[in-house]
Amino acid sequence: FVFTTVDPAAPTIASITQTASSDFSVSFEAQLKDKGTSDITKAGFCWSTTNQEPTVADSSNDLTGSLSGETPKWNASLTDLEPGSTVYIRAYATNEVGTTYSEVYAFTASEGKVPGLSALTQTAATNLSVSFKAELEDVGTSDVTAAGFCWSTEKKEPTVEDNSSDLTGQLSGGKTTLSSLLDKLTFSTTYYIRAYATNEQGLGYSEVF
């Protein structure tokens, strides 16, 4: 009678598959190809934004309870990622032999968008005054924290470092229109005016009026 023992084997895992994503979040899944020579005792994902080959010593979650069948799949999501950051993700599975990792899956979050504003529309004018408005068309990828108009008689592309008015309160309650009046203007002088809005990603400006 001849009996041949089997060499101990750790689990093997298929590559991670992305199932969904947005600017700052990603969902993914992994599948166990072979449990090895003993039952799986732990499985999940590990990830890092600094370690390009993450291990369970980095951030990780234990999804062992969701495993079923001979070649189970498990899934997870990462949300609220930092704009422009890259996160490195690996699936892992452990049996009595040891822990095996999948290939690294990398996801890069969006750089983020500043607010978008419409071109200014003139609503009224006299010899020495002008009224105008602009629409906040897109808040970007985070809430607007300041908004208004800036103007200059010298710079053709004024910024908030020039003359400016903070009209953030006009956008409360879901409103999207900014409106203002410039009066006591100087005769025969050209004024360059832009709307602006700020979020965590930076400043967005309208076209120059």
Side-chain angles (χ1 to χ4, degrees), residues 14-67:
S15 298
I16 291 175
T17 302
Q18 177 180 304
T19 56
S21 67
S22 64
D23 285 340
F24 305 115
S25 66
V26 60
S27 299
F28 42 87
E29 68 178 16
Q31 183 169 14
L32 187 70
K33 294 174 67 176
D34 190 329
K35 69 177 184 179
T37 50
S38 59
D39 291 338
I40 299 296
T41 56
K42 186 177 290 188
F45 294 98
C46 54
W47 62 91
S48 174
T49 57
T50 56
N51 183 2
Q52 296 188 14
E53 292 190 345
T55 71
V56 292
D58 298 299
S59 299
S60 64
N61 57 1
D62 180 358
L63 301 173
T64 311
S66 64
L67 303 184

Side-chain angles (χ1 to χ4, degrees), residues 132-134 144-151 164-172 177-181 195-196:
F132 43 85
K133 66 179 183 179
V144 171
T145 55
F149 294 95
C150 54
W151 63 92
S164 64
S165 57
D166 183 357
L167 303 174
T168 311
Q170 292 187 7
L171 299 179
S172 63
T177 302
L178 293 167
S179 59
S180 189
L181 163 72
Y196 73 88

